[in-house]
């Protein structure tokens, strides 16, 4: 891949930008339900677990040959049969979660900007854009993430500053009635969302190795934790933990009370529309992660290279299959609002934890025992 590889700065930017979508969907409602008014503090309790996961991934990546992602390591550690079976599961989960992301972004955009329209047109549009982006290069996705990170962080900072005037200190303090156990439990949503970035290790073969991995890791983790904490602080401080827990999208609901040049509703819709880019980036990266897992199973070549986007050569047909599966999953995960709420609150986080916090440590442990990692 040579000069087409992703730089460490671009990789960090793309990972952070993609995480903003599930971060706003899961937090602060999930943290508020577990930690109450201490939700903004509980985010930092996830730091040790996320740091341990990052170090585990570094150890796994050291066992990769140049140009390899995480997928070939499954075959070396678990063998060709079990390794392929696990890769089928990881690829399938990536496509399923991509469909879930599509549905969530479409539901949010339709509710805010087009309340009389269903999410289906937005799902089709977002799916088409994600497929088109996935047919390009991973470096192109990473560069897009680097541009979007600055834009979205600027918007977030502006919203946080505008929301400060509506904070009620009684919703946040005193903390003496918040039990340490609740703070630790409140760290689970932040750990789940942050852990999702581990799936991007399937794309490690497209990235340059970092010359200062410790500093890069610390900056990414600190930026993630500060953003997550500010998200919980402003929403719980505005609504209280009880109301935050009952709202589907408490952060975007908070925007309705924020005025900017006297146009509160337009501001809310514009911010939600802007946030669709984070959903698109996450969905596209997941499509590529799933493709990396499945193309390893079928021994297909790297899908990037010269030729038109519509070409199905070099195993590029698998990208179309993955997009079709993601579109089907987007329809299946939400036959009703109750089912989608179940996916958001229970099923998606549980499955993500199973693949990230269960499967990857198992890969490392078996690899260490077999002296491969």
């Amino acid at each position: 891949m040579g000069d087409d590889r992703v730089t460490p700065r671009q990789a960090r930017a793309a990972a952070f930008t993609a995480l903003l979508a599930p971060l706003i969907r899961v937090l602060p409602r999930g943290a508020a339900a577990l930690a109450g008014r201490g939700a903004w503090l509980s985010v930092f309790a996830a730091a040790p677990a996320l740091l341990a996961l990052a170090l585990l991934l570094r150890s796994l990546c050291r066992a990769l040959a140049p140009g390899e992602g995480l997928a070939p390591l499954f075959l070396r550690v678990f063998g060709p049969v079990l390794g392929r079976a696990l890769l089928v599961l990881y690829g399938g989960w990536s496509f399923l979660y991509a469909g879930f992301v599509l549905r969530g972004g479409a539901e949010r955009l339709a509710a805010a900007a087009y309340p009389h329209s269903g999410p289906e047109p937005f799902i089709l549009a977002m799916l088409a854009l994600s497929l088109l982006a996935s047919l390009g290069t991973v470096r192109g996705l990473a560069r897009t993430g680097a541009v979007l990170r600055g834009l979205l962080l600027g918007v977030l900072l502006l919203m946080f500053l505008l929301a400060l005037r509506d904070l009620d200190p009684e919703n946040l303090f005193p903390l003496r009635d918040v039990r340490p156990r609740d703070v630790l439990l409140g760290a689970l949503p932040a750990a789940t969302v942050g852990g999702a970035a581990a799936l991007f290790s399937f794309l490690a073969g497209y990235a340059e190795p970092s010359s200062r991995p410790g500093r890069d890791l610390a900056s990414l983790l600190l930026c993630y934790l500060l953003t997550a904490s500010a998200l919980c602080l402003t929403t719980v401080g505005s609504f209280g933990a009880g109301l935050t827990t009952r709202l589907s999208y408490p952060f975007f609901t908070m925007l309705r009370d924020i005025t900017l040049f006297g146009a509160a509703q337009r501001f809310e819709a514009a911010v939600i529309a802007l946030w669709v880019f984070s959903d698109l980036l996450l969905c596209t990266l997941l499509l590529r992660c799933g493709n990396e897992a499945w193309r390893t199973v079928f021994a297909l070549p790297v899908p990037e290279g010269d030729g038109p986007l519509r070409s199905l050569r070099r195993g590029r047909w698998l990208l179309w299959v993955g997009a079709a599966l993601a579109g089907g999953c987007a329809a299946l995960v939400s036959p009703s609002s109750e089912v989608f709420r179940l996916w958001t609150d229970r099923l998606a986080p549980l499955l993500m934890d199973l693949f990230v916090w269960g499967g990857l440590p198992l890969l490392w442990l078996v690899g260490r025992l077999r002296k491969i990692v």
Side-chain angles (χ1 to χ4, degrees), residues 41-279:
L41 191 60
S42 68
V43 168
F44 295 100
L50 291 174
L51 181 59
L53 178 63
L55 295 176
L56 181 144
L57 289 173
R58 280 186 59 190
S59 178
L60 291 175
C61 288
R62 289 196 191 100
L64 301 178
E68 278 189 342
L70 205 60
L73 189 59
F74 277 82
L75 301 184
R76 293 199 291 270
V77 170
F78 293 110
V81 177
L82 180 57
R84 281 182 167 84
L86 290 173
L87 286 176
V88 168
L89 292 177
Y90 271 88
W93 168 241
S94 295
F95 296 137
L96 172 61
Y97 193 67
F100 174 73
V101 171
L102 282 175
R103 187 78 190 199
E107 292 266 7
R108 193 170 60 238
L109 184 59
Y114 302 94
H116 300 295
S117 172
E120 289 77 15
F122 301 104
I123 291 177
L124 293 176
M126 293 173 64
L127 179 61
L129 291 173
S130 296
L131 172 60
L132 183 64
S134 71
L135 292 171
T137 64
V138 174
R139 187 186 184 192
L141 293 176
R143 294 175 68 179
T144 301
V147 174
L148 289 174
R149 181 182 64 172
L151 179 60
L152 293 177
L153 276 178
V155 172
L156 267 179
L157 180 59
L158 175 61
M159 289 187 293
F160 290 154
L161 292 176
L162 292 174
L164 288 178
R165 59 190 176 189
D166 296 325
L167 296 187
D168 185 350
E170 293 184 359
N171 292 330
L172 300 171
F173 303 99
L175 292 174
R176 59 175 177 271
D177 56 346
V178 178
R179 297 177 297 178
R181 173 178 173 273
D182 294 335
V183 172
L184 292 177
L185 288 175
L188 294 177
T192 297
V193 173
L199 295 179
F200 302 153
S201 297
F202 282 91
L203 303 176
Y206 297 91
E208 299 175 1
S210 175
S211 60
R212 47 180 191 180
R215 184 181 300 180
D216 290 345
L217 171 62
S219 65
L220 178 60
L221 182 58
L222 181 61
C223 188
Y224 170 78
L225 293 175
L226 290 176
T227 303
S229 180
L231 187 65
C232 294
L233 181 74
T234 51
T235 47
V236 174
S238 297
F239 296 132
L243 182 56
T244 299
T245 303
R246 293 192 296 270
L247 295 172
S248 297
Y249 300 105
F251 180 72
F252 290 113
T253 303
M254 182 187 68
L255 297 184
R256 297 173 184 173
D257 299 326
I258 295 178
T259 59
L260 184 66
F261 305 125
Q265 293 302 321
R266 288 186 181 180
F267 180 62
E268 175 203 5
V271 172
I272 291 178
L274 181 62
W275 233 256
V276 171
F277 289 109
S278 178
D279 291 295

